Amino acid sequence: MRAHEKSARPLSMNEGLLRPEMDPETSSDGSHPSRSSSIDSKEVAKPGCMSAEPRVQALLRQFADHAYTSYMQGTPALSHLSLLVKYNVSSALRRNADILGVLSEYQKWDGLSPFAQEGLSLNFTSQQHTNDWPVNLYPTHLQRSILHHPWVDVFPWPRLRDNMVQAFEHPDVCDEDDMCRDVCEYDEHGTEPILVVWGDAWDPCSWEITPGFLRKWGWLLSGCEDFLEATNYWRARRDERPISRREVYEAIRSSMPERLRTPEI
């Protein structure tokens, strides 16, 4: 799930992506195929997003209905939980894509966000009901400047979107497809979800970042402080201890790719 090949800008320590800007002392309560190949695209099936397939969506809706029925009958199954959480996250991101009018491109593996396409962005936004968009979903300057897949556009944290756009320009540093699988894909192994959504998809306060996300992708949260209060709110509802700013700071440092830790980058 990548934008078309382009000349990537070098990563800079002056760009917020690479600076853990949270003060650790502050407390908190709360093989991607080449697009340059001359092979006729009609001869080779393009990879796709399994979760976007209509049949898969229908099966997952049936599963969600079954899980809800089991819960209402007083017989919830723990085995349902992981898949149900991932289904909710995938559905929430699709709802944000629908709000922004990018759902069609969002569902394509090689889709391109209209916000960054020269000559298309202004025309596209003029046709949308942008006054109805939640403020935090408005595309940032970087979203309008760098070609990217529209799945980036649907996350409710502007700073995270900026960090993702910059990171995905460098597939040798950040594997976009790997992150997409971690967030959206379903598998038979019941892997733990790395995001949880509890309410309106567009509202950052509805989302929870898990320790699994922090361990692997925490560096992409550099400069993105607004997720922590909401995360700790939902953890408190389960009587779980809050994640401290110190822990977030350490997660950003420890998860940062090795290349970005070198002085010359």
Side-chain angles (χ1 to χ4, degrees):
M1 182 182 283
R2 299 234 178 88
H4 287 279
E5 295 290 351
K6 50 202 175 289
S7 177
R9 299 177 300 117
L11 287 171
S12 166
M13 286 296 290
N14 291 324
E15 298 184 74
L17 170 64
L18 307 182
R19 289 202 311 272
E21 295 184 3
M22 286 187 166
D23 178 1
E25 300 302 329
T26 304
S27 63
S28 172
D29 297 325
S31 12
H32 132 263
S34 171
R35 305 296 195 273
S36 61
S37 172
S38 60
I39 298 176
D40 188 339
S41 60
K42 294 181 180 179
E43 298 177 5
V44 180
K46 290 182 179 179
C49 177
M50 182 182 74
S51 62
E53 294 294 326
R55 181 171 175 273
V56 173
Q57 284 292 313
L59 288 171
L60 286 168
R61 281 194 294 271
Q62 291 177 21
F63 163 76
D65 290 343
H66 170 69
Y68 179 73
T69 299
S70 298
Y71 173 78
M72 293 302 293
Q73 291 176 346
T75 58
L78 189 60
S79 59
H80 291 164
L81 186 57
S82 178
L83 184 56
L84 189 59
V85 171
K86 280 202 168 187
Y87 169 74
N88 287 341
V89 168
S90 179
S91 298
L93 296 178
R94 284 167 55 86
R95 285 196 293 275
N96 284 346
D98 194 35
I99 289 173
L100 295 171
V102 300
L103 184 58
S104 177
E105 286 294 302
Y106 171 83
Q107 295 180 139
K108 299 176 183 176
W109 182 83
D110 57 354
L112 280 176
S113 171
F115 300 133
Q117 296 184 58
E118 187 175 356
L120 179 60
S121 177
L122 184 61
N123 183 53
F124 175 80
T125 53
S126 67
Q127 296 175 10
Q128 305 299 312
H129 299 290
T130 56
N131 289 336
D132 297 332
W133 290 358
V135 173
N136 59 294
L137 288 185
Y138 271 79
T140 67
H141 174 72
L142 283 177
Q143 286 174 260
R144 293 180 180 275
S145 304
I146 301 174
L147 285 177
H148 61 277
H149 192 281
W151 92 291
V152 174
D153 300 327
V154 301
F155 287 84
W157 306 278
R159 185 58 178 268
L160 175 62
R161 296 197 300 270
D162 278 354
N163 289 349
M164 291 169 68
V165 165
Q166 293 176 77
F168 295 161
E169 281 201 295
H170 303 267
D172 58 322
V173 174
C174 184
D175 188 335
E176 179 176 359
D177 296 333
D178 188 30
M179 184 177 182
C180 180
R181 285 189 294 269
D182 284 350
V183 172
C184 298
E185 289 294 291
Y186 316 103
D187 59 48
E188 70 278 14
H189 304 299
T191 54
E192 288 299 314
I194 63 172
L195 290 174
V196 185
V197 60
W198 297 98
D200 291 327
W202 57 265
D203 186 354
C205 293
S206 297
W207 291 80
E208 178 182 343
I209 302 287
T210 72
F213 188 104
L214 288 175
R215 282 192 298 270
K216 186 171 182 178
W217 302 107
W219 65 287
L220 291 174
L221 292 168
S222 179
C224 180
E225 300 187 28
D226 50 352
F227 77 90
L228 188 57
E229 183 177 355
T231 290
N232 282 336
Y233 169 80
W234 295 113
R235 288 175 65 86
R237 293 284 299 268
R238 302 190 300 273
D239 292 325
E240 294 184 10
R241 72 168 184 83
I243 296 173
S244 69
R245 290 183 180 273
R246 167 70 72 177
E247 288 174 300
V248 173
Y249 177 84
E250 292 300 333
I252 291 173
R253 300 287 297 182
S254 63
S255 64
M256 189 171 291
E258 190 66 31
R259 175 185 157 186
L260 302 186
R261 301 182 196 182
T262 57
E264 64 270 20
I265 299 299

